[in-house]
């Protein structure tokens, strides 16, 4: 459980951090009192934002998958995390035409200076966190609990219900079970000193009569 929580936490944290940092200014263009900002989404053509969204979607998808599916998604998220690291470290800068076009929307200044911020490095860091979570997922996914295990546990508990109780009887019928053909009771070993199949058959007939009697009483009410 600790490995699952840690892996899932790394993936979720990395995806959220990547999504936030992609929307922050990666570059600033300044000149003669004019300051224009360019976000990571702008300078990468939307790639930084798309990678972060894929990372979050893959993280949520793992909640409904089995061990093999989690390992596959973990491998995909490993590549996505490496993509975030590469995109952040490259620090793609806007083209001169893009800068000039945006600067001229607020001023006629032709001379400007570009400066990078710390957000590309934070974006790359989010990729490292995602890579860490993806590797942990691929290694420990087989030890994570699955939904099927909880389902089977619930089935066993349901089969052990006390059908002599009218409330339990109606709950079982609402769930689609037939209490008169419960194999779990019919297959119980006879107590010490009783006959084998004869004693079991007699108990089964008595149990069914009690169930039918309880059903008639409930219908009368």
């Amino acid at each position: 459980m600790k490995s699952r929580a840690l892996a899932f936490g790394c993936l979720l944290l990395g995806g959220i951090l990547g999504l936030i940092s992609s929307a922050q200014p990666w570059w600033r263009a300044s000149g003669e009192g004019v300051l224009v900002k360019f976000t990571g989404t702008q300078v990468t053509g939307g790639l930084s934002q798309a990678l972060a969204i894929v990372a979050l979607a893959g993280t949520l998808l793992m909640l409904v998958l089995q061990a093999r599916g989690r390992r596959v998604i973990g491998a995909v998220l490993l590549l996505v995390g490496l993509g975030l690291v590469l995109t952040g470290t490259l620090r793609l800068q806007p083209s001169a035409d893009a800068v000039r076009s945006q600067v001229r929307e607020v001023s006629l200044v032709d001379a400007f200076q570009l400066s990078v911020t710390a957000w590309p490095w934070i974006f790359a860091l989010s990729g490292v966190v995602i890579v860490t979570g993806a590797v942990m997922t691929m290694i420990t996914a087989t030890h994570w609990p699955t939904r099927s295990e909880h389902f089977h546990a619930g089935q066993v508990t349901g089969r052990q219900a006390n059908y002599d109780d009218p409330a339990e009887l109606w709950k079982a019928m609402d769930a689609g079970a037939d209490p008169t053909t419960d194999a779990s009771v019919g297959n119980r070993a006879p107590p010490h000193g009783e006959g084998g199949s004869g004693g079991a058959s007699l108990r089964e007939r008595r149990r069914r009569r009690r169930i039918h009697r309880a059903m008639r009483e409930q219908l009368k009410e």
Side-chain angles (χ1 to χ4, degrees):
M1 290 297 293
K2 290 183 178 180
S3 60
R4 176 188 178 184
L6 186 57
F8 187 79
C10 287
L11 293 171
L12 190 62
L13 177 62
I16 294 175
L17 184 60
L19 189 62
I20 293 175
S21 58
S22 68
Q24 302 303 315
W26 286 20
W27 291 86
R28 293 190 180 97
S30 57
E32 296 185 10
V34 177
L35 179 63
V36 179
K37 301 177 182 179
F38 296 88
T39 66
T41 303
Q42 290 175 320
V43 299
T44 61
L47 177 62
S48 59
Q49 186 182 48
L51 289 172
I53 292 175
V54 170
L56 287 174
T59 302
L60 297 178
L61 181 61
M62 286 196 304
L63 295 176
V64 297
L65 295 178
Q66 301 296 328
R68 181 177 299 178
R70 288 167 182 162
R71 287 197 297 267
V72 172
I73 296 299
V76 173
L77 292 179
L78 175 62
L79 297 177
V80 171
L82 292 175
L84 269 78
V85 174
L86 182 62
T87 303
T89 54
L90 286 178
R91 297 183 300 172
L92 301 175
Q93 66 181 39
S95 63
D97 292 337
V99 176
R100 189 176 296 107
S101 174
Q102 192 161 336
V103 168
R104 285 182 176 176
E105 290 181 2
V106 295
S107 176
L108 297 177
V109 175
D110 288 329
F112 52 84
Q113 182 179 3
L114 276 176
S115 60
V116 67
T117 68
W119 285 108
W121 297 111
I122 297 176
F123 186 80
L125 178 61
S126 70
V128 174
V129 176
I130 291 175
V131 168
T132 303
V135 172
M136 292 186 61
T137 298
M138 296 171 64
I139 295 175
T140 64
T142 55
H143 305 295
W144 294 8
T146 60
R147 288 178 177 269
S148 59
E149 293 176 357
H150 297 293
F151 176 73
H152 290 313
Q155 277 189 330
V156 173
T157 303
R159 289 173 182 172
Q160 295 174 348
N162 181 15
Y163 289 139
D164 293 337
D165 186 357
E168 293 293 336
L169 173 65
W170 285 108
K171 289 180 181 179
M173 294 177 63
D174 290 338
D178 186 359
T180 64
T181 59
D182 185 12
S184 63
V185 176
N187 293 331
R188 289 177 183 169
H192 180 70
E194 292 190 8
S197 59
S201 299
L202 179 60
R203 288 196 304 275
E204 179 65 17
R205 288 195 297 270
R206 291 176 178 175
R207 187 183 66 85
R208 291 192 180 188
R209 284 197 295 268
R210 288 198 301 270
I211 292 174
H212 291 156
R213 190 181 304 111
M215 292 173 64
R216 287 195 297 269
E217 292 176 355
Q218 288 293 326
L219 291 175
K220 289 179 181 179
E221 293 178 0

